[in-house]
Amino acid sequence: MRPTPHKALAAGALAAATMAALSLPVTSASAAPAAPAACSPAQVVANSGFESGTSPWTQSPTTVITSRAGQTAHGGTGFAWLDGTGRTRTDSLSQSVSIPAGCGSARLTFWLHIDTAETTSSVAYDKLTAKIGGTTLATYSNLDRNTGYVQKSFDVSAFAGQTVSLAFSGSEDSSLQTSFVLDDVALDTSDGGTTPPADSTRTPAAPSYTVSLSSDSSGTVWTGHESATFTNASSTALTEVYLRLWDNYHGTCSAPPITVRNLTGGTAGPLSVGCTALRVDLPTPLAQGQTATIGCDLGITVPSGADRFGHDGAFSFVGNALPVLAVRDGTGWHLDPYTNNGESFYSLAADFQVTLDHPSSLLVPATGTSTDTPGTGGRTTTTATASKVRDFAWAAGPFTKVSGSSSAGVPVNIYSVSGISSSGAQSMLTTAKSAVDAHAARFGAYPYGELDAVIDNNFWFGGMEYPGFVLDLVSTTALTHEIGHQWWYGIVGDDEYNNPWLDEAFTDYATDLALDKTGANCWNSVSWASSAEKITNSMAYWDAHSSRYSTVVYGYGKCALHDLRRVLGDTAMAKLLKDYATAHRYGVSTTAEFKAAAQAATTTDLTSFWTTHRIEG
């Protein structure tokens, strides 16, 4: 989504700090290094999950490693709980680790949960510092609060051949508690490699949704049935799944716009997370490789308003209305809250077959490739089929439609509400055809059949992306941006709540390239609001600092990628992104994986680049 107005960065002098970041040390070619010793891949942190007492950890006080009530473990029953008392104190936790020589890759990961009673959105009163040897890896604070565990990841390959202290220190001020909860601390060593391993624990995998809905005369009320078939990819059995009913954010729990009834294939549990998450308990645990199907009767009532879920007079926009399966990965179930500031959506690539029965007076653009067949009584059935998409959206209304094909043969349709001029619609058709080909040339072929864009200048949010389907204003820049999301969110997925920069910054960078903008001097007047402000912050942070979201994630984020291009060179950067998009096609990107791929593309040590640009993870 592109916020409006978008806080673009004006041209001007490049910040000195950024220039310093571009002058990174280069490995000398004059000295031939000794042949490295053989590396046996290993995980070198002992008692990494705090399940075997306290040894060999050193803790202060002696209650840091615990399983007491008040917090929960990421895995098992034990965890490390630093601070959380609401009074002045410092807790510490450390262990000596030996990183074998000859290992080209050493990566530290840990899972961190932060909850706090602090109410400030700008002052870091309570802090947790993670260090290895004499190097501070990261500092977190009450400003980084989150609703569950988040994995942190750091390249510590520079410490190969050394025995160093791995240490965490939490400091709390005199009032209002902040708890820093750690679990599953690991330091994995290997002989290196340029392609991070796929995370096979993301589940339920390979979802397939079959939906049949019928609308009222206006296209604002839809009723019917949905079924979802899925496979457990994890070695841990599934005893439950969660359906995300995202659009219940737009109503109340007593009168939700999305209703699920007559559930089959499981037992409905309580709604949670503002009634946007429905737990479904499976009748028997689903083992790895096993498949199950759940089904329900579905009701959707579109509220008034020109929104990604709303209707602007006779024109309905139905985004995020179909229940989709939440993801369980190494952090557990992702049950993040809805955010209106950006996106919370994290889902795996799925197949959809959606049948929409509606009055023939309404056009119904939708995700995927659509075919219309005559119904009865002045009605039409639109059947939309989409493969390997992360969501499904549609619209309904008496749109004006113009169509064409891009030079590469992608069918493009522009659907305009009343009030959009024919010249405006034609300009958007020209933009869409150009943008889809430009992005495809850089990041891989467009896979979703046709591309539908629904244009309404009343959208308060500027634009919104769905696979094969976007909502937008009459704006060349905004439409090029939303089409860029077909790759950065759609084809290359990410956890949009915890890693919004991975789709928004990458898409804004892609937009610049498509519009022949080089990002020169784009750091003019850069000013970080605080030490806690980072390009890689989650939506939990940005919802508390909403005025900074667009500036940092979109603006500073794309500028960082332009800077990376200047470090790597245009050709190497283009190859990096195309190869990365190919390697993660229909998968999930993480900050750690992108940083590893970028480092593998250059002999320049990027450590200080990431630090200067505040890219962590």
Side-chain angles (χ1 to χ4, degrees):
M1 182 168 71
R2 187 180 183 88
T4 300
H6 178 56
K7 299 182 180 178
L9 302 177
L14 191 64
T18 303
M19 286 298 292
L22 300 181
S23 302
L24 300 175
V26 179
T27 302
S28 171
S30 60
C39 174
S40 297
Q43 196 288 101
V44 300
V45 175
N47 191 15
S48 63
F50 309 110
E51 301 297 321
S52 304
T54 62
S55 180
W57 293 99
T58 298
Q59 56 176 336
S60 177
T62 58
T63 55
V64 169
I65 296 175
T66 183
S67 58
R68 68 184 186 271
Q71 297 291 342
T72 57
H74 170 254
T77 59
F79 49 90
W81 185 352
L82 290 83
D83 301 326
T85 65
R87 60 180 184 273
T88 303
R89 67 184 280 132
T90 299
D91 290 359
S92 63
L93 180 72
S94 64
Q95 178 181 148
S96 178
V97 293
S98 296
I99 304 176
C103 288
S105 174
R107 181 160 295 280
L108 171 69
T109 58
F110 56 85
W111 297 95
L112 175 63
H113 168 60
I114 302 173
D115 71 50
T116 184
E118 300 283 3
T119 58
T120 178
S121 61
S122 60
V123 182
Y125 289 115
D126 311 317
K127 298 179 181 179
L128 176 76
T129 300
K131 297 180 67 175
I132 187 166
T135 300
T136 297
L137 298 173
T139 299
Y140 308 98
S141 74
N142 48 281
L143 300 177
D144 298 303
R145 72 185 75 193
N146 49 27
T147 55
Y149 278 94
V150 175
Q151 188 182 42
K152 307 298 181 180
S153 178
F154 304 91
D155 184 350
V156 293
S157 304
F159 295 91
Q162 300 180 42
T163 297
V164 291
S165 174
L166 171 61
F168 301 91
S169 177
S171 61
E172 196 172 17
D173 73 349
S174 59
S175 65
L176 299 178
Q177 75 84 24
T178 299
S179 295
F180 301 100
V181 189
L182 292 160
D183 203 357
D184 294 330
V185 182
L187 202 165
D188 293 290
T189 63
S190 69
D191 59 3
T194 60
T195 304
D199 183 356
S200 61
T201 65
R202 294 186 182 102
T203 199
S208 178
Y209 300 92
T210 303
V211 183
S212 179
L213 297 172
S214 179
S215 82
D216 66 354
S217 60
S218 66
T220 59
V221 177
W222 300 79
T223 55
H225 189 268
E226 175 178 339
S227 66
T229 299
F230 53 89
T231 300
N232 181 18
S234 171
S235 59
T236 302
L238 279 173
T239 58
E240 78 284 334
V241 295
Y242 285 85
L243 289 173
R244 294 314 306 257
L245 316 181
W246 287 114
D247 284 335
N248 280 348
Y249 168 86
H250 299 278
T252 65
C253 290
S254 59
I258 309 299
T259 59
V260 169
R261 296 187 174 90
N262 301 324
L263 191 77
T264 59
T267 302
L271 285 165
S272 60
V273 198
C275 294
T276 67
L278 174 64
R279 177 180 174 130
V280 179
D281 293 312
L282 301 178
T284 58
L286 193 68
Q288 186 174 29
Q290 290 185 331
T291 296
T293 299
I294 57 175
C296 64
D297 291 336
L298 179 63
I300 299 169
T301 302
V302 181
S304 177
D307 208 334
R308 55 191 178 191
F309 179 61
H311 68 87
D312 184 8
F315 302 93
S316 294
F317 317 107
V318 197
N320 306 110
L322 294 183
V324 293
L325 290 159
V327 178
R328 192 189 76 184
D329 59 19
T331 68
W333 286 105
H334 282 259
L335 302 177
D336 298 305
Y338 185 100
T339 174
N340 219 23
N341 195 28
E343 288 82 44
S344 303
F345 317 126
Y346 176 26
S347 54
L348 302 184
D351 295 339
F352 284 82
Q353 180 165 322
V354 179
T355 301
L356 302 169
D357 178 280
H358 56 88
S360 299
S361 58
L362 305 180
L363 298 183
V364 180
T367 290
T369 301
S370 296
T371 58
D372 289 341
T373 56
T376 58
R379 297 181 69 87
T380 295
T381 298
T382 298
T383 301
T385 303
S387 298
K388 294 182 171 60
V389 296
R390 300 181 191 279
D391 205 343
F392 186 97
W394 71 98
F399 296 104
T400 299
K401 177 183 177 183
V402 294
S403 301
S405 293
S406 74
S407 296
V410 177
V412 178
N413 304 301
I414 303 296
Y415 294 83
S416 300
V417 304
S418 55
I420 302 297
S421 67
S422 59
S423 61
Q426 285 295 333
S427 72
M428 291 299 91
L429 179 61
T430 299
T431 294
K433 291 191 294 184
S434 174
V436 71
D437 284 354
H439 295 315
R442 289 185 173 93
F443 312 123
Y446 178 77
Y448 299 142
E450 64 194 47
L451 172 63
D452 294 338
V454 177
I455 309 298
D456 186 339
N457 280 333
N458 290 329
F459 289 141
W460 65 268
F461 48 85
M464 180 63 199
E465 69 279 1
Y466 296 98
F469 176 95
V470 300
L471 307 172
D472 221 316
L473 311 170
V474 176
S475 166
T476 295
T477 301
L479 185 57
T480 302
H481 175 97
E482 301 311 332
I483 293 173
H485 273 304
Q486 301 304 304
W487 283 263
W488 304 106
Y489 143 77
I491 298 169
V492 181
D494 65 279
D495 176 351
E496 293 187 303
Y497 187 84
N498 289 299
N499 297 288
W501 91 288
L502 287 172
D503 52 278
E504 295 299 357
F506 281 59
T507 296
D508 238 23
Y509 175 76
T511 301
D512 273 5
L513 298 183
L515 298 178
D516 296 321
K517 297 179 181 180
T518 64
N521 302 322
C522 73
W523 284 103
N524 182 55
S525 300
V526 63
S527 177
W528 296 99
S530 72
S531 61
E533 187 170 83
K534 304 174 182 69
I535 288 173
T536 47
N537 281 346
S538 74
M539 288 308 304
Y541 178 89
W542 298 120
D543 281 346
H545 305 81
S546 59
S547 66
R548 297 289 294 169
Y549 169 61
S550 176
T551 297
V552 177
V553 173
Y554 290 68
Y556 297 0
K558 78 170 179 183
C559 288
L561 292 173
H562 278 299
D563 285 353
L564 183 62
R565 173 176 53 81
R566 285 184 272 272
V567 172
L568 271 59
D570 291 357
T571 301
M573 182 67 168
K575 184 177 187 303
L576 165 65
L577 288 180
K578 191 159 193 176
D579 289 351
Y580 190 80
T582 299
H584 292 77
R585 196 171 178 89
Y586 309 127
V588 174
S589 170
T590 67
T591 298
E593 288 174 340
F594 178 71
K595 288 169 67 176
Q599 185 60 75
T602 180
T603 58
T604 299
D605 184 351
L606 296 177
T607 302
S608 63
F609 179 93
W610 306 126
T611 301
T612 302
H613 289 79
R614 301 195 182 196
I615 295 173
E616 295 183 356

